[in-house]
Amino acid sequence: MQPDLDRQEAWLSHEELDSVRGRVPILYVAAVPVRVADNGEVVAVGLLLRASETGHMERELIAGRVNYHERVRDALVRHLEKDLGPMALPSVPASPVPFTVAEFFPTPGVTPFHDPRQHAVALSFVVPVRGDCAPQQDALDLAWLTPEEAGQTGLQAEMSGGHGVLLRQALAHLGRSAF
């Protein structure tokens, strides 16, 4: 039987998504946007500022679901452009490889990653961006920090749900130990 490739069922209603979230892990991508010098050295890390559902200001990485029948690479580009703008010009390789896989649980403490809505698995990538970036959607600000600034414990404390842990892992992947 040939698969039906023309299906347009990528979006679920809120009720359907809530039902699925309660039954199966959901695939996500997470991205740490970076600026890279000509010599390949990471000179800046981009972090979004958003208001949480409780009204607290939090720093976040770029993250979002992979849709049905969507390639991981396409999901990465979509979320980067959605949060950083269409002129961000992300450099996502043809076959991206995550620096880690983060497993978010609705129960706090199972892993360092927590999402009260669901069990989610996030393929996490460091992605160089070359273009003009500006916060989009519900992001209030985009801050470009040096790797040393991004590695500060106080900043990572502003990041909930394990995003600070992911940032620390990304910096370690880039050869930057904790500062």
Side-chain angles (χ1 to χ4, degrees), residues 27-31 66 72 76 98-102 121-125:
L27 181 61
Y28 274 68
V29 291
V66 176
V72 167
L76 263 173
F99 69 86
T100 195
V101 175
V121 177
L123 305 175
S124 305
F125 303 86

Side-chain angles (χ1 to χ4, degrees), residues 10-26:
W11 299 105
L12 298 172
S13 70
H14 289 293
E15 295 79 20
E16 290 169 325
L17 182 58
D18 287 343
S19 176
V20 170
R21 280 181 166 155
R23 295 188 171 123
V24 297
I26 305 293

